[in-house]
Amino acid sequence: MAKILAIDDNNDNLISLKAIIHDTFHGSVVYTALNGSKGIELAIAHNPDVILLDIIMPGMDGFEVCRLLKLDERVSDIPVVFLTALKGDKENRIKALEVGAEGFLSKPIDETELTAQIRAMVKIKAASEQKRTDKERLEQLVEERTNALLQSQVQLKGIFENLQDSYFQADLAGKLTLVSPSALKIYGFQSIDELLGQPAEQLYFNPKERDSLISILRTEGKIKDYVTQGKKKDGSAFWASMNVQWLWSKDVQIIGTEGVVRDITDRINSERALKESEERFQLLFNKAPLGYQSLDFDGRFIEVNQQWLDTLGYIREEVIGKWFGDFLSPDYQEGFRKRFPLFKAQGQIHSEFEMVHKNGDKLFIAFDGKIGYDLEGEFKQTHCILQDVTKQKKAEEANLKNRERWESLFNNSPDAIAVYQAVDNGNDFIFTDFNETAQKTDKLNRDEVLEKRISEMFPAADEMGILDGFRRVWRTGKTEYLNSTFYKDERLEGWRENIIYKLNTNEIVAIYSDVSDRMKAEIALRESEETFRNYFENSPLGKSVTGIDGSVKVNQAFCKILGYPEE
């Protein structure tokens, strides 16, 4: 059962982290703290397997919290993973390493990366606890040796000769005076005589590092788990962990140094290999099916996966060893030359390039990548995943053109156009935009109208049936054609034809055409026809009208004069 401590001044972030961890690590225990002081208190009380630590916090920031944790022997072995939303993380990563952090994650947190980091840190914590147990055992052995030296040289000899780690003593001049038989295996010598009387600094890969260790010893009085690179007889390097203290005489005088050296090369290599493997696994597989590529320091292909080859139409032999820029459109090659050094410096990248398919088609490809480093922290290769976003790009361009067409129609239309957003579940609508024609026709002031309800700006809209039309369009999605009168200064001014249609899930558009002249003409025509009809039917004179088709219409006076019925 994993125990995880999350420290962040944002409670929402803590809730999200807790949910992710519980979903992935069933039965795990998550402790949370909103500040550094509380976080340190919880770490000491519960000894969690991993600490997730935010950098930017009021009062004590994440770096200070990490430094204090690493200085406290009770919690110094707990792996710390920094969480940050800061851009340009290189400096923060360096500072995180300086204060002792084991990991670094950028916000927003990727769930897969967080899961991989926690699993890796739990393994490191388990290794550290084992190391602490072994260290305490060795320290106990050294302490027992000191006591046993006063009681029994026989007991000391048994412990001394059976140590797996190397025990040593050196005088104040730095020359070895005593070494355990196990040193022969660790350092590759054949006999103890090859070491006795020799400078201890020759066993350091960097001889000057012993001077630094002695300086720390003078300040601290004791050194535990000092990690350095030792040097074997053949000149090769190995990783070593050292516990060193002063060697005292019986009259309590410092006469030299003594300590224990452990070969931790396998542990260091395993930890680094695990971290590199999990990062690469995430890039290669967790986001599949996506293309993968790896470039060397000069930008030439080291590796590509099958999805990459399928996307661009090449076979592996046509790609490996070639310069990445050769697969880009000419307009993008110079951009790659400029961006690649930045990628190597920053350690990660998100970018887009136009690549050329083997058949000549141009594809827009989106890249996400990180830099891989060797054991010395030097550039090894890039790890990038890629995705063909050509269809997405074309869709974006089409949307942009449609938007431009809409804006042109909207701004240049001779008809008034207004856009409304539904509120109160579609029972009312607020103005969100209107064109210049609408502004002139209805004398609308943008500052006074925008974000105002129709019912508030035009109280008569409900009585006139306009709001009912809006509601039907919003609910059914069907376009409606409505006729209405519009008023100005509380008097009938004219007539409109309205076209109302649904723009999207929450907006409708109304196009208003002023048809006052047409309506007035139709009214005048109807009035003229009515006047003629009254004159024809009520005239005392006999009248007849013959149509072009030969039909005949007569009035009553005509029938009376001739004595015929109308039929």
Side-chain angles (χ1 to χ4, degrees):
M1 179 179 70
K3 295 190 295 182
I4 295 136
L5 170 60
I7 307 173
D8 195 315
D9 63 321
N10 188 315
N11 193 49
D12 290 341
N13 291 344
L14 293 175
I15 293 172
S16 298
L17 281 172
K18 197 169 184 178
I20 294 172
I21 293 168
H22 281 158
D23 286 344
T24 306
F25 300 93
H26 300 295
S28 61
V29 178
V30 182
Y31 307 100
T32 60
L34 290 169
N35 57 66
S37 299
K38 183 64 176 178
I40 294 174
E41 179 182 337
L42 291 174
I44 294 172
H46 299 287
N47 189 29
D49 298 305
V50 185
I51 296 176
L52 304 177
L53 179 57
D54 187 28
I55 290 181
I56 303 301
M57 295 188 295
M60 188 189 306
D61 65 14
F63 296 123
E64 180 63 12
V65 174
C66 184
R67 187 183 72 81
L68 293 175
L69 289 169
K70 295 303 180 181
L71 289 176
D72 193 323
E73 291 183 3
R74 294 172 293 178
V75 293
S76 60
D77 289 336
I78 301 174
V80 175
V81 178
F82 273 118
L83 310 176
T84 181
L86 296 174
K87 301 300 181 182
D89 284 337
K90 182 178 181 182
E91 292 183 4
N92 290 309
R93 289 177 184 273
I94 294 173
K95 191 170 182 180
L97 292 174
E98 290 175 347
V99 297
E102 283 77 9
F104 199 97
L105 289 173
S106 296
K107 296 179 181 177
I109 300 302
D110 181 274
E111 182 175 340
T112 304
E113 186 175 5
L114 174 64
T115 301
Q117 283 276 22
I118 290 177
R119 286 191 175 128
M121 295 305 144
V122 169
K123 293 178 182 177
I124 292 174
K125 174 68 182 324
S128 298
E129 289 182 344
Q130 182 63 43
K131 177 191 70 175
R132 180 188 286 271
T133 300
D134 293 343
K135 179 184 68 175
E136 290 173 354
R137 180 178 65 83
L138 290 173
E139 289 176 347
Q140 182 180 359
L141 288 175
V142 172
E143 185 174 347
E144 289 176 357
R145 176 201 165 279
T146 302
N147 295 329
L149 185 61
L150 301 174
Q151 300 175 9
S152 173
Q153 293 295 329
V154 176
Q155 184 180 3
L156 171 64
K157 182 179 179 182
I159 296 173
F160 182 75
E161 291 182 350
N162 290 284
L163 283 173
Q164 295 299 311
D165 301 318
S166 172
Y167 173 82
F168 72 88
Q169 289 183 358
D171 60 22
L172 292 176
K175 293 187 177 180
L176 296 169
T177 57
L178 180 66
V179 293
S180 63
S182 55
L184 300 178
K185 180 179 179 181
I186 291 176
Y187 289 96
F189 289 88
Q190 298 300 315
S191 69
I192 298 295
D193 292 336
E194 291 181 272
L195 292 170
L196 294 179
Q198 298 301 314
E201 63 183 23
Q202 76 175 11
L203 300 180
Y204 292 79
F205 193 77
N206 179 4
K208 293 183 179 180
E209 192 166 9
R210 186 178 185 276
D211 294 334
S212 300
L213 187 145
I214 296 299
S215 297
I216 297 173
L217 189 59
R218 290 193 180 102
T219 303
E220 304 293 338
K222 182 183 286 188
I223 296 176
K224 294 183 178 181
D225 278 333
Y226 183 91
V227 177
T228 183
Q229 283 189 300
K231 184 172 72 174
K232 295 181 180 289
K233 180 180 179 180
D234 62 5
S236 61
F238 71 96
W239 287 100
S241 174
M242 301 179 66
N243 293 337
V244 185
Q245 63 185 20
W246 293 117
L247 183 64
W248 301 84
S249 65
K250 292 182 180 180
D251 56 352
V252 197
Q253 298 293 319
I254 294 177
I255 59 175
T257 58
E258 66 173 355
V260 176
V261 178
R262 167 173 288 189
D263 186 345
I264 60 170
T265 302
D266 290 340
R267 192 195 84 189
I268 293 293
N269 289 341
S270 296
E271 291 174 353
R272 291 189 172 183
L274 175 63
K275 184 177 181 180
E276 182 176 352
S277 174
E278 288 183 343
E279 288 180 351
R280 186 171 183 182
F281 178 80
Q282 176 194 351
L283 290 170
L284 284 172
F285 303 107
N286 289 352
K287 296 185 179 180
L290 298 173
Y292 167 83
Q293 69 178 41
S294 178
L295 306 179
D296 64 15
F297 188 85
D298 297 320
R300 297 184 178 276
F301 283 97
I302 299 174
E303 185 63 82
V304 294
N305 68 353
Q306 189 59 45
Q307 182 61 41
W308 192 102
L309 298 171
D310 293 343
T311 299
L312 292 162
Y314 293 92
I315 60 174
R316 179 181 173 82
E317 290 72 18
E318 295 173 316
V319 178
I320 301 303
K322 301 294 178 58
W323 182 54
F324 176 71
D326 291 336
F327 297 83
L328 298 176
S329 296
D331 293 342
Y332 283 77
Q333 291 180 352
E334 187 60 31
F336 170 68
R337 287 191 177 94
K338 294 179 179 179
R339 291 187 188 181
F340 193 57
L342 294 176
F343 176 23
K344 291 186 288 186
Q346 295 173 354
Q348 59 184 10
I349 193 174
H350 172 77
S351 186
E352 290 185 1
F353 291 100
E354 188 177 76
M355 301 187 71
V356 181
H357 191 279
K358 186 176 180 180
N359 64 11
D361 291 343
K362 293 183 178 180
L363 305 175
F364 276 101
I365 305 295
F367 286 83
D368 283 284
K370 291 185 177 180
I371 299 297
Y373 302 94
D374 59 21
L375 294 178
E376 283 72 38
E378 299 295 328
F379 176 94
K380 182 179 180 181
Q381 64 191 96
T382 70
H383 298 295
C384 290
I385 55 175
L386 57 92
Q387 185 175 13
D388 183 357
V389 294
T390 306
K391 292 182 179 178
Q392 177 184 334
K393 277 285 187 181
K394 290 181 178 178
E396 290 174 355
E397 291 173 358
N399 287 337
L400 179 60
K401 289 181 179 179
N402 288 337
R403 182 65 186 176
E404 290 172 348
R405 292 190 186 106
W406 158 255
E407 289 178 354
S408 176
L409 171 65
F410 185 81
N411 294 326
N412 298 309
S413 173
D415 294 327
I417 303 176
V419 183
Y420 306 87
Q421 180 178 324
V423 293
D424 298 340
N425 197 29
N427 286 315
D428 205 348
F429 301 83
I430 60 174
F431 285 91
T432 57
D433 201 3
F434 52 85
N435 66 357
E436 187 174 349
T437 304
Q439 186 171 344
K440 291 178 179 178
T441 302
D442 291 335
K443 297 182 180 179
L444 301 177
N445 184 303
R446 299 188 72 84
D447 295 334
E448 297 176 354
V449 175
L450 291 183
E451 304 303 324
K452 298 292 179 60
R453 294 169 179 258
I454 292 179
S455 59
E456 176 185 359
M457 298 302 300
F458 301 103
D462 212 348
E463 298 176 9
M464 297 165 60
I466 298 297
L467 268 177
D468 281 341
F470 278 33
R471 292 164 186 153
R472 287 193 301 272
V473 170
W474 184 78
R475 288 168 183 155
T476 66
K478 295 180 180 180
T479 299
E480 290 212 11
Y481 300 85
L482 303 175
N483 291 322
S484 68
T485 57
F486 64 90
Y487 294 81
K488 293 180 181 178
D489 301 328
E490 299 183 353
R491 59 189 179 84
L492 184 61
E493 188 71 18
W495 291 265
R496 281 180 173 167
E497 282 185 343
N498 307 312
I499 302 175
I500 307 170
Y501 67 92
K502 197 166 185 177
L503 182 62
N504 52 50
T505 57
N506 208 36
E507 288 185 315
I508 63 172
V509 174
I511 303 176
Y512 306 102
S513 299
D514 187 345
V515 294
S516 297
D517 291 342
R518 192 189 77 193
M519 294 297 290
K520 290 176 181 178
E522 290 177 358
I523 290 173
L525 178 60
R526 286 197 298 270
E527 291 176 348
S528 176
E529 290 177 343
E530 184 66 25
T531 299
F532 175 77
R533 184 180 302 108
N534 288 334
Y535 168 73
F536 180 81
E537 291 179 352
N538 298 314
S539 175
L541 301 178
K543 294 188 178 292
S544 67
V545 177
T546 304
I548 296 176
D549 58 354
S551 61
V552 177
K553 184 174 180 59
V554 297
N555 67 357
Q556 290 301 315
F558 190 98
C559 295
K560 185 177 181 180
I561 291 171
L562 295 182
Y564 288 97
E566 185 177 353
E567 293 74 17

Coordinates of all heavy atoms in Angstrom, one line a residue, residues 453-465 467:
R453 N -31.6 42.1 -22.3 CA -32.7 41.2 -22.8 C -33.6 41.9 -23.8 O -33.8 43.1 -23.7 CB -33.5 40.7 -21.6 CG -32.7 39.9 -20.6 CD -33.6 39.7 -19.3 NE -32.8 38.8 -18.4 CZ -33.1 37.6 -18.2 NH1 -34.1 37.0 -18.8 NH2 -32.4 36.8 -17.3
I454 N -34.2 41.1 -24.7 CA -35.1 41.6 -25.7 C -36.4 42.1 -24.9 O -36.9 43.2 -25.2 CB -35.6 40.5 -26.6 CG1 -34.4 40.1 -27.6 CG2 -36.8 41.0 -27.5 CD1 -34.7 39.0 -28.5
S455 N -36.8 41.4 -23.9 CA -38.0 41.8 -23.1 C -37.7 43.1 -22.4 O -38.7 43.8 -22.1 CB -38.3 40.7 -22.1 OG -37.3 40.4 -21.2
E456 N -36.5 43.4 -22.1 CA -36.2 44.6 -21.4 C -36.1 45.8 -22.4 O -36.6 46.9 -22.1 CB -34.8 44.5 -20.7 CG -34.3 45.7 -20.0 CD -33.0 45.5 -19.4 OE1 -32.4 44.4 -19.4 OE2 -32.4 46.5 -18.8
M457 N -35.5 45.6 -23.5 CA -35.3 46.7 -24.5 C -36.5 46.9 -25.3 O -36.8 48.0 -25.7 CB -34.1 46.3 -25.5 CG -32.8 46.2 -24.7 SD -32.3 47.6 -23.8 CE -32.2 48.8 -25.2
F458 N -37.3 45.8 -25.7 CA -38.5 46.0 -26.5 C -39.7 45.3 -25.8 O -40.0 44.1 -26.1 CB -38.3 45.4 -27.9 CG -37.2 46.1 -28.6 CD1 -35.9 45.4 -28.7 CD2 -37.3 47.3 -29.2 CE1 -34.9 46.0 -29.4 CE2 -36.3 47.9 -29.8 CZ -35.1 47.3 -29.9
P459 N -40.3 45.9 -24.8 CA -41.4 45.2 -24.1 C -42.5 44.7 -25.0 O -43.2 43.7 -24.6 CB -41.9 46.4 -23.2 CG -40.8 47.3 -23.0 CD -40.1 47.3 -24.4
A460 N -42.8 45.4 -26.1 CA -43.9 44.9 -27.0 C -43.6 43.7 -27.8 O -44.4 43.1 -28.5 CB -44.2 46.1 -28.0
A461 N -42.3 43.2 -27.7 CA -41.9 42.0 -28.5 C -42.7 40.8 -28.2 O -43.0 40.0 -29.1 CB -40.4 41.7 -28.3
D462 N -43.1 40.6 -26.9 CA -43.9 39.5 -26.6 C -45.3 39.5 -27.1 O -45.8 38.6 -27.7 CB -43.9 39.3 -25.0 CG -43.9 37.9 -24.6 OD1 -44.2 37.0 -25.5 OD2 -43.7 37.6 -23.4
E463 N -45.9 40.7 -27.0 CA -47.2 40.9 -27.5 C -47.3 40.7 -29.1 O -48.3 40.2 -29.6 CB -47.8 42.3 -27.2 CG -47.9 42.6 -25.7 CD -48.3 44.0 -25.4 OE1 -48.7 44.7 -26.3 OE2 -48.2 44.4 -24.2
M464 N -46.2 41.2 -29.7 CA -46.2 41.1 -31.2 C -45.9 39.7 -31.7 O -45.9 39.4 -32.9 CB -45.2 42.1 -31.7 CG -45.5 43.5 -31.4 SD -44.1 44.6 -31.7 CE -43.7 44.3 -33.4
G465 N -45.6 38.8 -30.8 CA -45.3 37.4 -31.2 C -43.9 37.1 -31.6 O -43.5 36.0 -32.0
L467 N -41.1 37.2 -29.6 CA -40.4 36.3 -28.7 C -40.9 34.9 -28.8 O -40.1 33.9 -28.7 CB -40.7 36.8 -27.2 CG -39.7 37.7 -26.7 CD1 -40.1 38.2 -25.3 CD2 -38.3 37.1 -26.6

